[in-house]
């Protein structure tokens, strides 16, 4: 694909994925690469522009993440953000040191409107800062185009060489005019045309899949979630009957979900594909017996999934391709795309064993963020209720049951979750909240019911608001809704005597519990 592209060079900053998303919101395709990426490889990608991210290091310290100085001589525009800005100045002969006053939070910045970055930005604008170091002295050939009370170089530029350095974080929404600034870099400096559009992506993907698959047979791992559903429909449109969707009911699905998936993708649904449902519940329960460690559970579930597919594939005959609904954050969070640490291995990425009996894996959504997957889904004509379905992890309830998974616990969390979702929907909150679900904690505690002592489990309710699932805040659910759900859960779900609400955001918590 020869499309215009911006490259984000990741120095381990917290917001690296946000940068890529913001760029894509400006309709320009963007990918994240580690700062260790070879300069030749970067050149070969022929980017329209390069963005250097923030990062935890101090650029003047030994062993700090760095890049080749050559990156500034490619003739490709470079925008350094925070650490990236400091590094640019440092490598090009400026001075970076510990700031006398560190800046954190929303800070008013005075900008110079004559910079291409700031043409349509207000002269005083609120920006998000998060730095201990600062640029004490700009590099030769640069001019300062923004400052704050405590930060003499909040932005600097060398227009001639198309190099730009910004100390704050325009990618964070707290920077009120941040998107404008990024857009200005992309359009005014890099000269992009804005060719990243979901309809073309979908169309190109379908064509590319057709070409790749040829007359081959394709097997799709259908979980019923948004990602795998979108992937499945894309494949169905590309190769129709050559596609067999295997839906593994691993016994870790939400209440009634297996039947719901079958209703959509099965023989009575609208799509032209072969659908096989495998009821493998007991197999998964057996494998998960006595296993408590989250990563181990994820691996077991992921591996068992692959085994089930292999068996189905053998029954079907030779299969050439396996489809997975991996999306971009899975790739990056698994430590593959950028520089961020492995937080948890993703079912679709980390759980894949070495031995797989297929010729190749197709991941048509591998480069998309969640909101882009939804847009692609709508573009493919998938009904809205499916596209906006609550996200559900590959390992399913396996990671919403803390500790050992048993069929009894699965039933508890299914019932509690169904009640919670019913109450959220009844209050009209279902489309307003990013994600919400019930989990079963591993905690048992004393309660009293019908004058009798109980020693039962605690259900944790979770609801978060998020744009991109990279960061999230706990949602403020009205008390009436929570207390009604809590009441119903302890009354209707056996062996649950306590309901807790999770108030933490991501970070420091993750959205799922394990
Ligand atoms: N570590 C650098 C500093 O403290 C950069 C911080 C960042 O990129 N957010 O100034």
């Amino acid at each position: 694909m020869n499309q215009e592209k911006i490259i984000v060079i990741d120095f381990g900053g917290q917001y690296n994925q946000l940068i890529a998303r913001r760029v894509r919101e400006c309709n320009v395709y963007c990918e994240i690469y580690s700062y260790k990426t070879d300069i030749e490889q970067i050149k070969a990608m022929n980017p329209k522009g390069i963005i250097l991210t923030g990062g935890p290091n101090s650029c003047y310290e030994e062993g700090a993440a760095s890049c080749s100085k050559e990156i500034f001589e490619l003739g490709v525009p470079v925008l350094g953000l925070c650490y990236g800005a400091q590094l640019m100045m440092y490598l090009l002969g400026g001075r970076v040191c510990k700031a006398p006053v560190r800046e954190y939070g929303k800070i008013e910045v005075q900008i110079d409107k004559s910079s291409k970055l700031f043409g349509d930005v207000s002269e005083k604008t609120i920006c998000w800062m998060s730095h201990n170091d600062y640029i004490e002295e700009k590099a030769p050939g640069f001019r300062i185009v923004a400052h704050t009370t405590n930060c003499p170089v909040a932005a600097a530029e060398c227009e001639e060489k198309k190099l730009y350095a910004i100390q704050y974080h325009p990618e964070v929404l707290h920077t009120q005019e941040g998107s404008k600034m990024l857009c200005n870099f992309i359009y005014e400096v890099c000269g992009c045309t804005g060719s990243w559009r979901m309809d073309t992506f979908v169309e190109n993907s379908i064509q590319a899949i057709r070409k790749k698959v040829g007359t081959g047979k394709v097997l799709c791992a259908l979980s019923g979630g948004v990602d795998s559903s979108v992937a499945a429909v894309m494949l169905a449109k590309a190769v129709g009957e050559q596609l067999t969707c295997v839906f593994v009911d691993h016994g870790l699905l939400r209440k009634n979900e297996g039947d719901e998936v079958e209703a959509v993708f099965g023989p009575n649904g609208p799509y032209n594909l072969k659908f096989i449902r495998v009821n493998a519940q007991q197999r998964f329960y057996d494998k998960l017996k006595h296993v408590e460690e989250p990563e181990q559970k994820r691996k077991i579930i992921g591996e068992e999934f692959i085994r089930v597919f292999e068996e189905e594939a053998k029954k079907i005959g030779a299969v050439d391709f396996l489809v997975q609904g991996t999306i971009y954050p899975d790739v990056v969070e698994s430590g593959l795309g950028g520089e961020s640490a492995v937080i948890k291995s993703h079912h679709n990425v980390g759980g894949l064993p070495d031995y797989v009996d297929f010729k190749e894996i197709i991941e048509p959504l591998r480069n998309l963020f969640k909101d882009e997957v939804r847009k692609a889904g709508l573009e493919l004509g998938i009904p809205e209720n499916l596209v906006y379905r609550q996200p559900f992890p590959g390992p399913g309830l396996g990671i919403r049951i803390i500790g050992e998974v048993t069929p009894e616990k699965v039933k508890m969390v299914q019932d509690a979750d169904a009640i919670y979702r019913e109450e959220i929907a009844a209050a009209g909150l279902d489309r307003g909240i990013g994600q919400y679900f019930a989990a079963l904690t591993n905690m048992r505690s004393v309660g009293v019911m019908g004058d009798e002592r109980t020693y039962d489990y605690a259900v944790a309710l979770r609801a978060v608001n998020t744009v991109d699932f990279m960061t999230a805040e706990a949602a403020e659910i009205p008390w009436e809704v929570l207390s009604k759900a809590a009441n119903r859960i302890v009354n209707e779900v056996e062996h649950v005597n306590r309901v807790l609400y999770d108030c933490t955001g991501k970070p420091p918590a993750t959205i799922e519990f394990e």
Side-chain angles (χ1 to χ4, degrees):
M1 241 191 319
N2 207 359
Q3 77 186 327
E4 62 180 21
K5 186 194 291 189
I6 298 278
I7 285 177
V8 171
I9 303 290
D10 185 356
F11 289 93
Q14 293 176 66
Y15 308 119
N16 50 38
Q17 291 200 42
L18 269 184
I19 300 171
R21 280 196 62 246
R22 295 281 172 263
V23 173
R24 291 193 195 184
E25 278 166 12
C26 302
N27 299 318
V28 175
Y29 186 65
C30 183
E31 281 177 355
I32 304 169
Y33 291 92
S34 161
Y35 70 89
K36 292 173 190 142
T37 308
D38 192 74
I39 186 82
E40 292 305 321
Q41 205 187 325
I42 294 173
K43 269 197 234 172
M45 289 187 266
N46 193 23
K48 295 286 279 183
I50 296 171
I51 299 179
L52 312 179
T53 74
N57 297 141
S58 288
C59 60
Y60 47 83
E61 270 171 6
E62 212 176 309
S66 190
C67 63
S68 161
K69 237 171 101 169
E70 233 189 287
I71 206 164
F72 306 113
E73 285 148 23
L74 301 175
V76 177
V78 183
L79 171 65
L81 302 179
C82 204
Y83 182 78
Q86 296 167 356
L87 184 67
M88 180 190 290
M89 289 296 119
Y90 178 74
L91 291 176
L92 295 177
R95 248 182 72 81
V96 177
C97 61
K98 183 151 220 77
V101 185
R102 70 187 207 108
E103 290 180 304
Y104 186 82
K106 292 180 188 176
I107 307 231
E108 189 181 80
V109 176
Q110 301 235 9
I111 57 97
D112 179 338
K113 285 176 83 77
S114 71
S115 166
K116 278 191 175 162
L117 291 183
F118 303 133
D120 52 355
V121 173
S122 337
E123 239 153 294
K124 287 181 182 177
T125 183
I126 299 294
C127 298
W128 178 257
M129 291 280 196
S130 169
H131 64 119
N132 299 308
D133 295 337
Y134 80 156
I135 300 160
E136 189 184 46
E137 212 174 279
K138 65 180 179 55
F142 279 76
R143 73 176 181 120
I144 295 171
V145 289
H147 67 275
T148 72
T149 321
N150 291 313
C151 183
V153 189
E157 68 174 27
C158 174
E159 199 181 340
E160 184 199 333
K161 292 192 173 151
K162 299 188 177 173
L163 304 179
Y164 295 81
I166 292 182
Q167 179 58 74
Y168 50 85
H169 290 275
E171 70 275 21
V172 173
L173 288 178
H174 299 307
T175 297
Q176 278 166 10
E177 297 176 273
S179 284
K180 265 191 213 169
M181 300 170 194
L182 286 175
C183 243
N184 288 341
F185 175 70
I186 293 161
Y187 286 100
E188 305 306 321
V189 179
C190 302
C192 289
T193 58
S195 59
W196 173 243
R197 289 179 35 186
M198 221 19 89
D199 51 353
T200 17
F201 171 80
V202 166
E203 213 172 283
N204 290 343
S205 300
I206 290 176
Q207 274 168 24
I209 291 167
R210 237 175 240 154
K211 202 164 150 213
K212 184 170 184 175
V213 170
T215 54
K217 276 192 181 178
V218 186
L219 183 61
C220 176
L222 187 63
S223 75
V226 180
D227 303 340
S228 71
S229 300
V230 172
V233 173
M234 195 180 270
L235 260 295
K237 295 219 164 166
V239 298
E241 294 241 302
Q242 285 161 262
L243 170 70
T244 304
C245 278
V246 172
F247 167 54
V248 178
D249 190 337
H250 53 19
L252 303 165
L253 296 165
R254 287 168 287 203
K255 195 172 180 175
N256 301 330
E257 196 166 26
D259 298 340
E260 285 166 25
V261 170
E262 188 168 344
V264 175
F265 288 96
N268 300 325
Y271 303 111
N272 185 27
L273 49 86
K274 294 192 193 117
F275 176 83
I276 298 171
R277 175 172 178 175
V278 190
N279 290 310
Q281 293 90 333
Q282 198 53 49
R283 249 177 98 155
F284 282 84
Y285 296 151
D286 289 345
K287 285 263 159 156
L288 288 168
K289 214 171 201 162
H290 306 311
V291 182
E292 295 183 356
E293 210 277 313
E295 278 299 285
Q296 212 186 333
K297 288 199 284 185
R298 282 173 177 267
K299 291 250 153 70
I300 288 172
I301 296 165
E303 242 169 82
E304 202 55 19
F305 240 97
I306 300 290
R307 297 287 162 256
V308 176
F309 287 133
E310 282 169 348
E311 286 170 25
E312 285 311 309
K314 276 185 198 134
K315 283 187 217 159
I316 298 162
V319 166
D320 305 286
F321 299 95
L322 174 71
V323 183
Q324 291 208 311
T326 315
I327 67 171
Y328 202 46
D330 306 334
V331 176
V332 179
E333 279 199 18
S334 293
L336 297 178
E339 217 19 68
S340 44
V342 178
I343 311 296
K344 36 176 129 171
S345 66
H346 188 268
H347 164 62
N348 287 332
V349 180
L352 202 63
D354 303 333
Y355 155 73
V356 183
D357 241 355
F358 308 91
K359 205 160 78 185
E360 225 180 303
I361 297 229
I362 300 185
E363 296 172 311
L365 313 176
R366 195 182 165 86
N367 292 325
L368 299 189
F369 287 105
K370 193 83 189 184
D371 45 339
E372 292 176 317
V373 172
R374 293 212 164 94
K375 278 191 213 151
L378 293 176
E379 206 58 61
L380 284 161
I382 302 176
E384 275 199 28
N385 64 341
L386 226 165
V387 166
Y388 287 102
R389 199 182 182 119
Q390 279 287 294
F392 193 59
L397 299 178
I399 56 161
R400 289 184 183 172
I401 294 168
I402 300 172
E404 192 190 359
V405 174
T406 65
E408 296 72 31
K409 286 182 179 175
V410 170
K411 174 105 177 51
M412 280 183 236
V413 75
Q414 276 179 338
D415 289 343
D417 182 65
I419 292 169
Y420 184 41
R421 281 187 288 134
E422 248 173 66
E423 290 305 326
I424 293 276
L429 299 170
D430 50 336
R431 279 289 281 276
I433 304 171
Q435 188 175 357
Y436 53 94
F437 59 87
L440 189 69
T441 74
N442 207 8
M443 180 192 95
R444 291 171 78 190
S445 65
V446 175
V448 56
M449 251 193 239
D451 281 346
E452 227 179 296
R453 179 187 189 273
T454 59
Y455 186 61
D456 279 331
Y457 285 95
V459 158
L461 301 182
R462 181 109 172 104
V464 295
N465 283 319
T466 173
V467 189
D468 47 32
F469 295 89
M470 298 314 307
T471 58
E473 280 165 23
E476 290 183 32
I477 308 277
W479 178 246
E480 311 84 71
V481 181
L482 275 182
S483 69
K484 182 147 181 241
N487 242 311
R488 280 192 57 198
I489 289 169
V490 287
N491 278 311
E492 295 172 36
V493 184
E494 239 186 303
H495 300 300
V496 173
N497 66 355
R498 209 174 273 272
V499 176
L500 311 169
Y501 187 70
D502 185 346
C503 305
T504 30
K506 170 188 180 177
T510 53
I511 296 175
E512 297 289 347
F513 281 66
E514 291 195 329

